[in-house]
Amino acid sequence: HEDSSSALTDASVQADPGDGFQIVITEIIFSTGAATACNIFFEEGASKVLGPWYLEAVAGRGVVWRGKKHITASTAVTVTTSAAIAHGLDVQGYIQAV
């Protein structure tokens, strides 16, 4: 969970779960509270795995994603946003053995 007005740059979503385990993302909810354009994306290492999703410059815009995104085993997940504006971010998922 993230609730701030800071831009996120490779901010940790979930640390490397260790050898033989992988992260599975199942839901992302992201919204902005300012009339400033913003985008968001998720990475494993330097590779984008979800997004970028672009929100136009209207307060109260958001994105909801549901599915199953399997992250490479033994790899952390980070998030980056493009603007330092009021926002909320929730990421749900689990760690599984591979």
Side-chain angles (χ1 to χ4, degrees), residues 31 34 37 45 48 50 60 69 72 89:
S31 63
K48 289 181 182 132
L50 287 165
K69 180 60 179 174
T72 302
L89 171 64

Side-chain angles (χ1 to χ4, degrees), residues 30-69:
F30 177 68
S31 63
T32 63
T36 302
C38 186
N39 69 59
I40 184 171
F41 60 87
F42 295 82
E43 294 177 297
E44 55 174 38
S47 299
K48 289 181 182 132
V49 293
L50 287 165
W53 295 307
Y54 298 92
L55 301 178
E56 58 189 57
V58 177
R61 294 293 173 153
V63 62
V64 175
W65 177 89
R66 290 185 180 101
K68 280 193 177 178
K69 180 60 179 174

Side-chain angles (χ1 to χ4, degrees), residues 78-92:
T78 61
V79 61
T80 297
T81 61
S82 65
I85 59 172
H87 67 270
L89 171 64
D90 287 291
V91 180
Q92 301 293 320

